[in-house]
Amino acid sequence: MSELHTLGVHEVLERLNRRECSSEDIVRDVLAAIGRIDGTIDGYLSVAAEDALAQARAADEARRQGAGGRLLGVPIAVKDVLNVRGQPCGCASRILQGYVSPYDATAVARLRAEGAVFLGRTNMDEFAMGSSTENSAFKVTRNPWNRNCVPGGSSGGSAAVVAADEAIAALGSDTGGSVRQPASFCGCVGLKPSYGRISRYGLTAFASSLDQIGPMTKSVRDAALLLQVMAGHDPHDSSCLPDPVPDYAAALVPDLKGMRLGLPREYFVGGSDPEVERAIRAAVEVCRGLGAEIVDVALPHTPYVIATYYVIATAEASANLARFDGVRYGTRAAGAEDPIDLYKRTREQGFGPEVKRRIILGTYVLSSGYHDAYYLRAQKVRTLIRRDFEQAFQSCDAIVAPVAPTPAYPIGEKGGDPLQMYLGDIFTVPVNLAGICGMSVPCGFTTRQMPVGLQILGPALGEGSILRVGHAYEQAGGWSHRRPPL
Ligand code: GLN
């Protein structure tokens, strides 16, 4: 049994560049790992084995011919919400069963242009709505550190396959924490870029003013590289920023001298699991030892973030999901008498309970008579939340915080209680509401050996700062190298 599947992106590239192995060797080894492990993790919805091997052979041939490519031959897993040409894109929903992507998302196209190989589709909460991957229409992904626990969500499949070494890296999407929180629960790195940094073209829309694609990796350095390749202007997404993409690798220095890190006092008021808080505080001390100055910051609108997010996200979702009606995409219900009946039957049969709950809630907050009381008011509070961060970043370069109030919890524990599930998003949703960037980096374990993530937040387009903090921390006291006993 070879160890190639355990490597990260940079290590794979080093081996490939030294001609110690081929991309085909790596893909075969990853496929073998999937064959051994995924039966107990259920991270993948589908694996494109033949397609991936063909891509790998093409990458090997290109390398023989002297072609470059910053990711030439590196296999990557993709959350089922992102379009990869020729592969299914079902958002873990029955309503999209049978849908095959005719095109690549821009982020995928940019990775492909650099030679990345696309392995398959990872499990998720249906339409990315959830925090535990239990809302998938097809199966529950298990946490590689404890198979009775959730992997987090909604990108739980991507986090689990990276942590279990069933992929070299993966892509997720983050509307309110879906890259960072599963990364924290599974012990890998997950980066949510600033709104507009990566094109959303080809990302199935959940809440268009909040959605971002993000890398999920085995190191901060790998996340920086994937971000580098995916970021930048795209004429297909008018919200994608034209700002030049800085050299993120240059930000990866081993110390934090001259940096000020803010600790938001509202995030340490006793609502978190004490083991999570202990791990975060220990990580803060490591950062102090690296030369950072720790300052106190305030985010006074924290009590309103959950309500604000669940009004705005559901409102946008209700509009975005209107397109799934049995006519253009995926499955169509049988036996309909007229078009309206067709829409009703298809949506009734195709959507799961959480998606229906959100469509109903979102339709309600947008309906005439309630629009001003809910949606408009939420937009105003969103502005206040954004200003909290603008204010905080006046006195610090990055903010350090927990990702979630708890580590991964047992499967089924919160599944029946949507409100409890929503409350777990308190530290991640404000980042999307404010449009800023954030990353989860492994920062320790609970006594039950469940991973804990440190959340590092930066201002809009401040990815360089959070990568610097994450990398220096990872090098000094980090936990990214730890792997679950499988
Ligand atoms: N957990 C949050 C929700 O359920 C965030 C999901 C996401 O980021 N896609 O909406």
Side-chain angles (χ1 to χ4, degrees), residues 107-177:
V108 168
R110 289 188 180 167
L111 296 171
R112 199 193 287 283
E114 295 294 337
V117 168
F118 297 97
L119 278 170
R121 315 290 303 168
T122 58
N123 197 22
M124 55 186 280
D125 287 299
E126 185 178 2
F127 285 104
M129 297 175 183
S131 313
S132 67
T133 312
E134 291 166 291
N135 295 336
S136 166
F138 303 109
K139 55 188 180 181
V140 178
T141 297
R142 289 164 186 279
N143 191 307
W145 292 91
N146 178 341
R147 289 169 205 183
N148 297 320
C149 288
V150 301
S154 64
S155 314
S158 286
V161 302
V162 170
D165 287 322
E166 298 178 67
I168 304 301
L171 297 186
S173 66
D174 190 313
T175 303

Side-chain angles (χ1 to χ4, degrees), residues 195 210 382 385-387 389 429-436 460:
Y195 186 74
L210 303 162
R382 180 178 188 172
I385 294 164
R386 183 184 302 126
R387 284 194 196 142
F389 283 101
V429 297
V431 178
N432 304 70
L433 288 167
I436 62 174

Side-chain angles (χ1 to χ4, degrees), residues 79 128-131 153-154 173-178 206 309-310 358 425:
K79 184 181 184 182
M129 297 175 183
S131 313
S154 64
S173 66
D174 190 313
T175 303
S178 281
F206 164 6
Y309 170 82
Y310 278 94
R358 300 212 186 185
D425 298 336

Side-chain angles (χ1 to χ4, degrees), residues 194-219:
S194 311
Y195 186 74
R197 184 68 293 187
I198 295 180
S199 168
R200 291 179 295 110
Y201 180 71
L203 167 66
T204 311
F206 164 6
S208 306
S209 76
L210 303 162
D211 297 340
Q212 268 292 292
I213 296 164
M216 306 180 76
T217 57
K218 300 177 190 181
S219 70

